[in-house]
Each structure stands twice: as C-alpha cells, then as structure tokens.
Amino acid sequence: MMRAFQYLPRALVPCILAVLALLVLAGGPARAGVPNERAEPAYAEEQTILQAEADSRSPEPGLASASSGRVHVDRHYLGQYGHTEGTVIVQRGGNTWREWRNGPIATMTGTLLVVVIVAIFFFYRLVGPARTDAPETGRRIQRFNGWERWVHWATAISFIVLAVTGLVIMFGKKLLIPLVGHDVFAFIAYVFKYLHNFIGPLFIVCSVLMFFTFLHRNFLRKIDWEWVKQGGGLVSHKHVRAGFFNAGEKAWFWLGVTLLGIVMSVTGLILDFIGFGQTRYVLQVANTLHIVGAMFYIAAAMGHSYIGTWGTPGAYHAMRHGTVDESWAKAHHAVWYEEVKAGVPPGTFDDRTPPDQPPGSPPNHPPGQAPNAGMPPRPAH
C-alpha cells in the first residue's frame, strides 16, 4: 500500500489539474447547469401556492429563517428529515437556496479556481521555482519517516478524489451532458456521488491523523515572523532561514488542514448522514458552507501542490522518499539543518532570532566539527 501511495500522485497530478481547469473554466463563470435554474415554479399547483403566499399578510419565512418551509411542501420531498417537517409541502427557502447555489455561489467559486490556476501559471513563468544555489552533496538527510509519508498521501489522495467528484457534482451538468449525453452523465454522477459520500469520512479520519502527526512541528515561533516579513523569499529568491516547517507551511497546516478541514468535515457529515433530525434549513446552510469551504480548500491545495512540486524542486522527493540532500536542507530550512548537524531535536533552535551565528559570518567551530557542537543544546520547545 505504501508503494501505491508513493507512485500514484506523480501520474495523477497533471491529469487532475487539467480536469480541474476544464471543469471550472466550463462551469465557473456561468451558472451551475440545472434544469429550471431560476427556480421558477413548474406546476400550476405550486404557482397557486406562490400566489396565495404573495397575497398573504404573513408570508412564509424564507431561506434566512430557521423556520423556512415548516408548513410547506417540496415536490421533491423524499422523507422526513427533521421531526417538525412532517407537513412540509413546498419549501420556499429551498428555491432561494437553489437560486443562490446555481447563480452567485457557482459563479464566485468557479471564478476563484480559474483565477488561482491562472495566477500559479503566471507566477511560475515570471518568477520561477525556488532553486538551491549550491550543487547537491550526495549526502541525504531523513526528513519524513514512513508513517508521516503514508498519512500525507492517504489524506492527499482522498482529498483529490473528493475535489474531482465534488467539482463534477457542482459543474458537471454544464460540461459533461453536451459531451457525453444524459445517460452517460447519469452513470458518472451516480458513481461520483457515492465515491464522494464514502470517501468523505475516510478523509476526515486521515485529516485527524495528519493533524496529530504534524502538530508538534507546526507551533508558531519567533523565527516564523522573519520569514513572513521577507515573504519567504518567493519573489526575491532569497533563502530565508526556517525551521523544519516554514511559516507558509504552518499557515497551510492551521488555515487549510485544520480550519477548512473542520468546516468541510462538519458540513460534510451533516449532508452525508441525514437521519439525525436535520431540517432542510440546516442542510441548505451546510451545503452552502460546504461549497464555499471546498473552493477555498481546493484553491489553497493547488498553491500547496505547486510549492511542493514545481515551485520548490526537491520538496516532492522529500515527501515521496523521505530524504533530502544536505544542500536542499541548508538552503530552504537552514535552522532545521543546523539542528540535524548538532544532533538536537527539531525546534530546539527555532527561537534564535537573530541566530547565534548569522549567515556569512566566519564559523566559530573547529574545521570538521558540526555547528554548535561545543555548546550545550537548548531544550526543545
């Protein structure tokens, strides 16, 4: 299984990015394709109910109210979700939700992904990758052990499956029905729906494992602020000193993996398991948050994937094989490199701002002796 996780991403990445680009370019700026996309009533009975509601002095609550649809009926009603919705016939808030989902929300989320893809392309063309100035030494340093790599790839692959299936669910009708027809798309949508529903809980488990696996290396330190002030050297190509993880990687951990992971997990579980008394109002709010959170998560993941592959040559090798060359470690994570050479745990030197020995100063240790070998190691934080 480890070998499958290690070799699958490289083959999938170009194809997945192409699929994402096609989906968002075809469906992003436009409405998500649905019949009756303006949510206009299709039946005379529903038009009569709407007219009676319009003439009433106390109209029924809409999408913004938790009481939305309590005494209405939805012609697509499949079962009693909430215990108080047994008399529901037409839910006016549902039409409002559908109009927003297939209109402004689809437009904004699709546009965001298109902008991110274009921005990554131009950044790569204009700025280029962050390369290591010194040649490789041939001496390897272990960066990630087998468990850390397994957790990372399990989470990454489950996320990719959710992203692709979710985009097809959101924009697929607009793109695929004209290409493959209704029958083939119905089969694709059926398979992707169940993939999305069953992989979702697996992704939650993987995300929890990854959180606790990498938590101890993602606490913010003084040195991280120096990295932020210099923009990580992404544009200037300056190698800013960093610990095991730099501030950008820590931001991805806390804002992406943790914060957006919580949003996606909670809303996904609400939508996946509907037998716990959720009302339609709760499901509609959860769906909206799920879509918006997914677009931000996918956008951030594309940036993370770029930095971890083409943007920083050698980073992908570290997560695939677990080791990096000494030159790579010294250039991109100098503080961690010094800790490895000194034989102390990662994080021991992270509070040294400015460092005890600034870059470029003469070494204060005998030739052949590791940096800081003569000084007592500081306790890990």
Side-chain angles (χ1 to χ4, degrees):
M1 181 174 291
M2 273 298 301
R3 295 178 65 87
F5 279 124
Q6 291 174 354
Y7 286 95
L8 183 58
R10 172 171 288 181
L12 282 180
V13 167
C15 298
I16 291 166
L17 288 178
V19 171
L20 292 177
L22 285 174
L23 285 172
V24 298
L25 285 171
R31 292 173 177 269
V34 295
N36 189 22
E37 62 184 15
R38 295 185 178 180
E40 295 174 352
Y43 303 121
E45 294 85 351
E46 189 174 354
Q47 294 176 6
T48 302
I49 294 172
L50 284 174
Q51 184 62 48
E53 180 181 323
D55 295 339
S56 173
R57 294 185 178 181
S58 57
E60 294 296 336
L63 180 62
S65 171
S67 300
S68 172
R70 287 290 175 81
V71 292
H72 289 169
V73 192
D74 188 345
R75 64 177 182 272
H76 304 297
Y77 181 51
L78 298 178
Q80 185 173 345
Y81 297 132
H83 298 300
T84 61
E85 296 191 327
T87 60
V88 172
I89 306 180
V90 173
Q91 188 208 5
R92 295 276 49 83
N95 279 339
T96 305
W97 159 78
R98 187 173 62 175
E99 174 71 8
W100 276 87
R101 176 195 181 275
N102 300 321
I105 293 176
T107 299
M108 289 186 295
T109 53
T111 302
L112 172 65
L113 294 186
V114 172
V115 169
V116 171
I117 293 173
V118 173
I120 291 175
F121 172 78
F122 279 103
F123 187 88
Y124 179 78
R125 298 292 296 179
L126 298 176
V127 178
R131 300 190 182 277
T132 303
D133 297 331
E136 290 193 356
T137 63
R139 296 184 295 272
R140 312 297 297 182
I141 300 175
Q142 182 177 14
R143 182 158 174 82
F144 299 108
N145 60 37
W147 168 256
E148 292 168 338
R149 302 198 308 276
W150 190 93
V151 169
H152 174 272
W153 288 122
T155 307
I157 293 172
S158 59
F159 175 85
I160 290 171
V161 174
L162 291 175
V164 173
T165 55
L167 286 171
V168 169
I169 292 171
M170 185 71 182
F171 300 112
K173 290 181 181 179
K174 194 74 172 181
L175 173 66
L176 296 180
I177 288 180
L179 296 177
V180 301
H182 287 80
D183 293 339
V184 175
F185 174 74
F187 174 76
I188 294 174
Y190 181 85
V191 173
F192 277 27
K193 168 195 170 185
Y194 280 98
L195 271 176
H196 200 84
N197 290 346
F198 281 98
I199 296 297
L202 173 63
F203 171 73
I204 295 174
V205 173
C206 292
S207 296
V208 171
L209 292 176
M210 189 160 76
F211 175 82
F212 287 105
T213 297
F214 293 104
L215 174 63
H216 66 290
R217 291 176 177 171
N218 278 281
F219 292 111
L220 297 177
R221 310 291 188 185
K222 292 180 181 179
I223 196 172
D224 295 323
W225 177 237
E226 296 299 322
W227 192 94
V228 171
K229 288 193 295 185
Q230 300 185 54
L234 295 177
V235 176
S236 64
H237 291 288
K238 178 181 178 181
H239 295 301
V240 184
R241 292 171 59 81
F244 190 94
F245 288 135
N246 59 44
E249 292 167 318
K250 291 179 180 180
W252 162 247
F253 177 84
W254 288 110
L255 299 179
V257 175
T258 304
L259 179 60
L260 289 175
I262 291 174
V263 172
M264 300 307 297
S265 299
V266 172
T267 57
L269 290 174
I270 291 174
L271 296 168
D272 215 354
F273 302 96
I274 59 174
F276 293 92
Q278 300 97 310
T279 63
R280 286 174 181 75
Y281 172 77
V282 171
L283 294 172
Q284 289 155 7
V285 172
N287 179 262
T288 301
L289 292 175
H290 198 72
I291 293 171
V292 174
M295 293 305 108
F296 280 111
Y297 208 158
I298 294 172
M302 287 192 292
H304 172 73
S305 300
Y306 165 74
I307 294 296
T309 52
W310 299 292
T312 311
Y316 173 79
H317 187 281
M319 188 53 75
R320 177 174 173 178
H321 299 288
T323 62
V324 295
D325 189 83
E326 280 193 2
S327 294
W328 188 95
K330 189 174 183 180
H332 298 294
H333 298 271
V335 176
W336 170 64
Y337 170 76
E338 293 172 2
E339 291 167 341
V340 171
K341 302 303 287 185
V344 297
T348 302
F349 297 161
D350 280 1
D351 63 342
R352 301 195 306 173
T353 306
D356 295 344
Q357 181 181 331
S361 61
N364 55 7
H365 55 82
Q369 182 177 352
N372 307 304
M375 57 181 295
R378 303 186 184 187
H381 298 281

